[in-house]
Amino acid sequence: MANEPIRPSTPDGTAEQSRSHTTTPAAGPLRRVAAFAAGAPFTALVAAVEVAIATAALGVPASTAPVAVGLVAFSVYAADHVADAAGDVGSTPQRARIALRYGDQLMLAAAVSYGLAVALAVGAGPAALALVLVPGAVWVGYATDWLPTVAALVAPPGSVSVPRLKDVFLLNSAAVALAWAVAVVAAPMAFAGVPVDPTDAPTVALLFAYVAARSFVDVEVPNVRDVATDAAQGVSTLPVVYGVAGTRRILFGVDAVAGGLLVAVVATDAASGGVVAALAAGLVVSVTVTALADRLDGSTLGVAPDCSYLVAGAVLLAIGP
Amino acid sequence: MCVKNGMAALSPLSVALLVAVTVGLAAAILAWRERPEPGATWLSALLVGQVWWATFLVFELEAATLPAKALWYDVQWVGVVAVPVGWLFFALAYTGYDRYVTPFSVAAVCIVPAATVAVAAAGDPGNLLATERVVRETAVGTFLDVVPGPLYYIIAGYTYLLGAVGSVPLLQLIRDDARPFRGQSAALLVGTAAPWAGSVAYITGAIPIPGLDPTPLVFVISGVAYLLALSRFRLLTLAPAPRRRARQLVFEQLHDPVFVVGTEGYLVDLNESAAETFGIDRRAAIGQPAASAVPRYDAVRDLADGGDKPRAIPIVGRDGRRPYEATVRDVVDDHDRTSARVITFHDVGAYLGQQQRLNVLNRVFRHDVRTETNLIQGYAERLRSDATDERALSVIDRSAGRILELSERTRTAGKLFDPTEEYASSPLPDVVDEAVADAREIDPDARVEVGRVPAVAVSVVLRVVLKNLCSNAVRHNDGASPWVQIDATVADDWVDVTVADDGPGIDPAEYDVLDRGTETPLRHGSGIGLWIVKWGVDHLGGRIDFDEREPRGTTVTVSVPVDRSGVPSTDR
């Protein structure tokens, strides 16, 4: 009721809404732009570079794949940042503030970006279209909540609980890594209209495994930064479960696997020397970032793992495939 | 690995279509995100239909062989038929006609589109969709030139039909007062008119490139229009859908009874409250002469539109007799012609009662209490000089007693006006017995006779009324043994209770004041007892009559409705 008195909620007589709150200081325009760029646009750039490297590694003709995958990455991450803005305030306050303030504009940009990616895919043919539609279809599935509905139909409610993929330990990072690997390896072929030749299969498989392993590391490293908030929210990540030192050992192991895959590439002559050199340079950056994981500050740790691809791309540009 | 660079080979037509895909899909995503706002799902269905059509037209253009082109041509039909269906149901849901958007109506509307897709999927048996397909190479692209078959014309006509039906409610919005809705509907109509124009141009052969259907190309315009409507005019976040229902709801749920009377004097509509309050059958009343349904129509019909100061008209309804103020408003159309009059009845009983109560309490304090206090003060002075003055003591004692009684009755009157008070019902004989017992207590010598009292239920408020009448009859009687007779009769759900006495009679000025409802410093009643009787009767929606008895005395008749709250009603 409107006339109900506001009852003080504390012994000092202040009500919740009249007490002062500590807010993080607002950043200057330049820092805001930097914080925005470090989010979805940076991820989009990394995705584009990854696909360009994969294009060179697979030896398929140049196509619009890097641009399209970059656009999809932008729209997926921008939409995700808008959707999870309230929950991200603790871990990435700058990015969350932008997402809250410019939510509608970011969603418009994400929608146009995805539309553009689909248009590029349509121009490249049915296979490319099918590939680009996957994230959209997943999003529709999530947004319409048909997964829990189906689960509730199959099993009576209460007997089996279907957890969100995002909350399942290891499976969440593995799923993201696999999605990246599929996109990065399949896009160059789909957009160039190249069918998988049996003779090319080892190259495709090695590259797929390499990208999956590397992506897994890139996803888990920023979790070192979020260890406190994740633990508080009950989200299980490698640093939460095994501690920072344990996480570092595991990630070194995964990087070692990636290194082994590179050796296999060299041994089977599956890719050119330039590509192997570029991937090796990226691996070195990744190992370095993993080693320094607990000593880098939050915002640096958010972008540092992905920088390995930028280094690899620069190397590839410098020495040629 | 073999080399085929797709982008380099794209025809100009395909590039234009890709722009349509981009804006169309972006708008579809934004629309989908607005669910469950009214129309959001259908708008995204419409836009996905457009994107689908444009997408597979690109595939058709870029395919190398006739069978491949024919395949992609057939796939396009899914998008082609989705567009008008999405449009129709979007327009209905968005403008608040969502009662037409049911699983049944959707299924019915989808029959022709589904049949078309089925024919296309079956490879167009009997050349229903296309009688001839040839590959036509032009400067803008290589596409399938189709000679339409009979089903093609059917689905085309059907598309135009759905498009026209959907545009009607949106065109109404364009004339709306609210600017956001005008902007929204203008953008939507541009978005729809553009593909139509393209389609008409194709069917009439007005396109310079023969065989080219420009409709999907024009989706660029509609996509931009929908994007604008969504982002600039807040198409789905500010949808007009609830307005229709809200306005309807206000009319239906309004506490005041409302009648709508056409210019020819026939009843056009009435709300729930009107039917309920005056016990009118809505179905039967609509279309009847207004005089047969609208209470006191003769008195209210001549009220000027918002002119004269409204006067309270007593009307007997389901809650008994209550005073109403009627207001009349003209319903004026866009050409300033009066098409109907809206008559609203406002129950002012509570308001009038409160006014009277303030008036009377004011008088009680200003006059009655003051008079008694003066008396007490005067006789107290006499006591000071002669402490043994017994008369002074008894005058003070009686005066104080009257003030106490006034205070008690004021409390009783206050209870009658308590809006939270819920009054139970009680059998009439019990109510009468209590009033009689009360009167006998006041004067044990009083002869109180009770005639036939039918056993009907009445509100317990009648107890207050009868107690006051009986105690007044006994108290103000100057005879040695006062006589009071109580009788009751029932007719047509109304109870008439008469209280007759052989006292000196009530001063006509007293009940004249009750009748007029207002007191003035010069014309006022004495005490508060008769007012309590009046307020109690008013509360019950009844009426009260005073008559002189021969040779002496008064007969008071109280008519109140029988209390039916405890009885399961049959006519509601």
Side-chain angles (χ1 to χ4, degrees), chain A residues 150-162:
Chain A
V150 169
L153 281 177
V154 172
S159 65
V160 183
S161 71
V162 182

Side-chain angles (χ1 to χ4, degrees), chain B residues 259 266-268 270 280-290 292-293:
Chain B
F259 295 88
Y266 290 97
L267 191 63
V268 177
L270 69 158
I280 299 168
D281 180 356
R282 284 182 87 167
R283 282 162 184 257
I286 290 175
Q288 296 298 312
S292 67

Side-chain angles (χ1 to χ4, degrees), chain A residues 182-265:
Chain A
V182 170
V184 166
V185 177
M189 296 186 293
F191 274 74
V194 181
V196 181
D197 198 303
T199 54
D200 297 328
T203 310
V204 174
L206 283 173
L207 190 66
F208 182 85
Y210 174 85
V211 175
R214 288 282 304 99
S215 298
F216 182 81
V217 174
D218 294 345
V219 173
E220 280 294 342
V221 167
N223 283 340
V224 172
R225 169 194 63 186
D226 302 335
V227 62
T229 42
D230 283 345
Q233 288 175 4
V235 177
S236 295
T237 61
L238 274 186
V240 171
V241 176
Y242 297 107
V244 174
T247 303
R248 194 184 288 131
R249 275 198 297 278
I250 293 168
L251 295 185
F252 278 147
V254 177
D255 271 338
V257 171
L261 289 166
L262 266 192
V263 172
V265 168

